Amino acid sequence: GFGNPKYLFTRLKLWQKLFESQNPNLVVGDYAPVAMMAARNCGIATMATGNGYTLPPTNIPRYPKFINRDDPVNGNYLLHTVNQALQFAGMEKLDALPEIFKSDIHSCLTNPALDPFRKIRQPKALGALFSDAPPQWPGRHADRIFVYLPHCKPHIKETVMKAWNEANTAADVF
């Protein structure tokens, strides 16, 4: 849907409406760039999760070629359509296409050696989500956490939600 500004606009507004109704102060998403863009534009703290491929860095002007093949889609065109959708939605435009994955915190759930962007990723991504104490955001307290895990198997979702609830006993995790 990133090549269709009207489709993307609709998704941005649906996420915005959901966040306004649920009022989270932290959104955690696994491969959810549209949700993250909407949350950021609502002023909500964000934490993006994924592996080295599904969570690319945002500090690069464009994606590098993999295996010396041309991109199947024109990145400049996608940036243009994404910015059209953001403009329609009254949201802040992006300077570069990789910014669709921008988040306050990136958490790569993979072995660092398997992250194809590990040498250029800035800031560095956190490791596995629950390897240390949950991250803290300066000046922010995450007491209403919205977790979006669309690609997980049910037993993985249950495990992640249980861990979030145990690690954030004072938080409302939904």
Side-chain angles (χ1 to χ4, degrees), residues 27-170:
V27 172
V28 178
D30 179 56
Y31 195 70
V34 179
M36 295 292 114
M37 285 189 288
R40 283 194 325 270
N41 276 283
C42 290
I44 302 168
T46 56
M47 180 176 190
T49 67
N51 62 47
Y53 290 96
T54 64
L55 189 60
T58 61
N59 62 303
I60 55 177
R62 65 189 52 78
Y63 298 115
K65 289 184 180 182
F66 286 106
I67 316 174
N68 296 321
R69 293 192 177 190
D70 290 332
D71 293 332
V73 179
N74 182 316
N76 291 331
Y77 171 74
L78 284 182
L79 177 60
H80 174 73
T81 60
V82 168
N83 278 336
Q84 277 185 309
L86 289 167
Q87 182 180 7
F88 294 159
M91 297 179 179
E92 188 176 322
K93 290 183 176 184
L94 306 178
D95 293 326
L97 188 58
E99 290 179 17
I100 63 173
F101 291 99
K102 187 175 181 182
S103 193
D104 292 310
I105 291 183
H106 276 193
S107 179
C108 267
L109 306 176
T110 190
N111 180 322
L114 300 177
D115 179 1
F117 296 108
R118 72 186 171 282
K119 293 180 181 175
I120 61 171
R121 188 185 297 278
Q122 291 298 326
K124 299 290 183 197
L126 294 178
L129 207 71
F130 304 110
S131 61
D132 297 314
Q136 300 297 315
W137 286 265
R140 297 181 181 172
H141 178 68
D143 58 359
R144 287 193 49 81
I145 304 170
F146 181 92
V147 180
Y148 180 63
L149 305 171
H151 304 290
C152 290
K153 294 179 181 178
H155 70 279
I156 294 173
K157 284 183 187 180
E158 290 172 19
T159 302
V160 169
M161 292 303 291
K162 181 180 176 191
W164 268 102
N165 280 315
E166 289 174 3
N168 297 283
T169 55

Side-chain angles (χ1 to χ4, degrees), residues 3-22:
N4 182 331
K6 291 180 183 177
Y7 177 87
L8 186 55
F9 160 78
T10 302
R11 297 308 175 265
L12 287 164
K13 293 306 279 184
L14 288 170
W15 278 112
Q16 183 181 38
K17 185 175 181 177
L18 176 67
F19 295 147
E20 288 171 353
S21 72
Q22 297 300 310

